[in-house]
Amino acid sequence: MRILFFGRGVISTQYAWAFEQAGHTVEFYVRKGRKETFGSRIELEMWDARKGKKLIKESWNVKLHEEILPNYDLIIMSVNTEQLPEAAQFLSTAAGNTPVLIFNNIWQDLKSSIAPLSMNNVVFGFPGAGGGIADNTLRGGFLKMVFLEKPRAGTEPMNNKVKELFESAHFKISWVKDMQNWLWNHFAMNAAMEAEVIKRGSFPALMNHRASFANVGLHMREMIPVLKARGAKLDAISLLLTKIPPGLLGILFNKVIFAKGGLPRLFVEYNNSKAGFAVLEVVRAAKKAGIPLPRLTMALENTEYAKEM
């Protein structure tokens, strides 16, 4: 397969490397001027957990384009949430009829979030990966599991193409029946974590405060009325975050889910992205619905997002 990744971000780069290892041709679309800035190589220090736990350390040669060329079999887009509308607008004309995998966190309803891209030309999914890029070095990793929506009417050929791609690179697919509901829950969880990241100063700092995940649970509880207002059903992780007592939740996350030395913890510790936009999106939705969110609103008070609430 010939695959184009939209942007050379941490998620795109890791899966591109894995697909190239499986024999596929991978290339990247980057904005004007980024080709020279990025250069033709990126340093990799990432964990590959498809078969056991293997550290990949290499200088990887990448092919970058500042325009979208024809004849790709698939375009994969994984961008920051705030960049999704502009990216979808661009691909609606530049991608032609090439199928697009949206590998992204999304809070809005799926159809409007990718407009004017056609839902008939899109498959939604979510990666099992994390990390960050600094000084042209990627530190992070990926797990064996990826999440893909079950086919909608008319998308079966695209879903099969995406399925075959991931399976050819030895990833395991977890099929999601209701991708909209799954993403609503995941986005809320991400907002709960980002609210605490703002308080602590960084994603790595989040891992080093025992009270952090107790607070994440309290943030999540506050968002339950917002999720229900948009018709979401709480999934297992959301129920975990809202039902377990905060103190016990903190112990569970620190000792089990994000245990020291575990890959999920490393992925968060390597994350150097800016927190806050997910919190802003949820606060905006809550205001429209007349639902108070004092904890999340307070988290944004001294940030650049405060004036946008």
Side-chain angles (χ1 to χ4, degrees), residues 222-238:
E222 185 174 86
M223 285 185 281
I224 296 305
V226 185
L227 285 167
K228 290 183 176 178
R230 55 179 44 202
K233 297 179 180 178
L234 299 188
D235 63 16
I237 296 177
S238 294

Side-chain angles (χ1 to χ4, degrees), residues 38-55:
F38 286 151
S40 62
R41 306 186 74 80
I42 183 169
E43 304 304 314
L44 303 178
E45 295 180 16
M46 63 187 189
W47 292 94
D48 178 354
R50 287 172 296 175
K51 296 179 180 178
K53 184 179 172 183
K54 181 180 179 182
L55 179 61

Side-chain angles (χ1 to χ4, degrees), residues 11 38 52 70 164 173 206 219 222 228 258 278:
I11 301 300
F38 286 151
E164 290 169 5
I173 295 170
L206 174 71
H219 299 330
E222 185 174 86
K228 290 183 176 178
F258 290 112

Side-chain angles (χ1 to χ4, degrees), residues 45-90:
E45 295 180 16
M46 63 187 189
W47 292 94
D48 178 354
R50 287 172 296 175
K51 296 179 180 178
K53 184 179 172 183
K54 181 180 179 182
L55 179 61
I56 307 298
K57 293 188 73 171
E58 68 173 78
S59 182
W60 185 44
N61 196 29
V62 294
K63 192 169 185 178
L64 309 179
H65 300 289
E66 292 182 347
E67 59 182 7
I68 292 185
L69 305 174
N71 302 321
Y72 290 103
D73 297 300
L74 180 69
I75 295 173
I76 299 179
M77 182 165 67
S78 179
V79 297
N80 294 333
T81 305
E82 59 268 35
Q83 297 172 323
L84 183 57
E86 182 182 354
Q89 176 73 44
F90 176 76

